[in-house]
Amino acid sequence: GENVEQHPSTLSVQEGDSAVIKCTYSDSASNYFPWYKQELGKRPQLIIDIRSNVGEKKDQRIAVTLNKTAKHFSLHITETQPEDSAVYFCAASPSGSARQLTFGSGTQLTVLP
Amino acid sequence: KAGVTQTPRYLIKTRGQQVTLSCSPISGHRSVSWYQQTPGQGLQFLFEYFSETQRNKGNFPGRFSGRQFSNSRSEMNVSTLELGDSALYLCASSLALQGYEQFFGPGTRLTVL
């Protein structure tokens, strides 16, 4: 089955700096890669996603890049703000089972004011 | 639109008991997936239901089961509870055929004593 590895497990940045979180996946059949943000005690919230026919997607301060050859994808957050502090999860799902997500282990992002 | 709702939000059970958790998807969403979240194992896929049929199943023992009703509401059941079943159980709904995005509910926090 699919295996998703996520790095780093913790990340601290100064407010205004950029943050990058990286994930690798094992199943070359995976073609959907969402990122979720989970604040303490709250539900995971979808913040951005990318499909395998796209190499990069951007939404305001957040961007995701995908390298299918290397089987890795990354989340980029620019101009970080204290409210960006949360746990971020990457995930992957195979073609035909888009709702069966395999999650990475999560990254605790702390934005220092 | 109202979001995904789950009941109950908190539950305390003892070993050997069974428990039923409920999930109401976003109106119009026909797919419901269930995930278990623990500090040690992270977010793990349990199963997915679409049109009252189980479409995919994760690597969990047969004590974990579920079902979906004609109104797309879903329930999951855990029998013969073990201490290790203590977790946050999240459900997520999706339009299924019209999109990949999954939207999570607030979860049910199950504690097994």
Side-chain angles (χ1 to χ4, degrees):
Chain A
E2 175 66 277
N3 181 51
V4 177
E5 294 192 357
Q6 182 172 347
H7 301 280
S9 57
T10 61
L11 179 60
S12 292
V13 299
Q14 289 294 137
E15 183 177 357
D17 286 350
S18 295
V20 180
I21 303 170
K22 299 183 179 182
C23 290
T24 60
Y25 61 98
S26 62
D27 188 350
S28 56
S30 289
N31 68 349
Y32 176 62
F33 307 92
W35 286 87
Y36 285 85
K37 173 184 179 183
Q38 188 175 29
E39 297 175 75
L40 190 63
K42 296 192 175 181
R43 72 189 75 187
Q45 298 266 16
L46 178 68
I47 56 172
I48 196 167
D49 58 11
I50 191 167
R51 293 173 175 76
S52 62
N53 59 343
V54 176
E56 183 174 359
K57 183 177 178 181
K58 191 173 181 180
D59 183 4
Q60 298 184 343
R61 298 186 296 108
I62 294 173
V64 57
T65 58
L66 171 65
N67 183 327
K68 282 221 76 180
T69 303
K71 288 191 275 188
H72 68 70
F73 55 113
S74 301
L75 177 72
H76 304 253
I77 306 174
T78 59
E79 301 171 21
T80 53
Q81 301 166 4
E83 51 265 39
D84 294 329
S85 296
V87 179
Y88 290 80
F89 292 96
C90 63
S93 72
S95 174
S97 299
R99 297 161 300 282
Q100 180 176 347
L101 295 175
T102 299
F103 283 87
S105 54
T107 296
Q108 173 68 62
L109 173 64
T110 302
V111 180
L112 305 168
Chain B
K1 276 187 181 179
V4 179
T5 58
Q6 291 185 246
T7 57
R9 292 294 311 279
Y10 302 92
L11 209 47
I12 299 175
K13 293 286 188 179
T14 56
R15 279 179 298 174
Q17 288 186 309
Q18 75 166 20
V19 66
T20 299
L21 313 180
S22 181
C23 172
S24 292
I26 293 171
S27 177
H29 285 196
R30 296 169 61 192
S31 167
V32 174
S33 297
W34 288 88
Y35 295 86
Q36 182 195 64
Q37 186 173 28
T38 61
Q41 299 299 318
L43 276 155
Q44 293 186 286
F45 173 78
L46 280 156
F47 30 65
E48 182 227 349
Y49 287 86
F50 177 73
S51 292
E52 303 178 62
T53 302
Q54 187 180 90
R55 299 288 172 152
N56 295 292
K57 190 178 192 316
N59 190 25
F60 279 82
R63 299 186 297 108
F64 292 81
S65 63
R67 60 177 175 169
Q68 187 180 34
F69 302 94
S70 58
N71 62 357
S72 297
R73 189 177 69 86
S74 178
E75 290 181 345
M76 68 163 282
N77 184 77
V78 188
S79 62
T80 319
L81 285 167
E82 301 177 359
L83 295 178
D85 297 334
S86 294
L88 180 66
Y89 290 90
L90 293 157
C91 76
S93 77
S94 170
L95 276 172
L97 296 180
Q98 296 181 36
Y100 295 98
E101 294 87 351
Q102 290 190 56
F103 299 92
F104 281 86
T108 294
R109 173 73 63 185
L110 173 64
T111 301
V112 182
L113 302 175

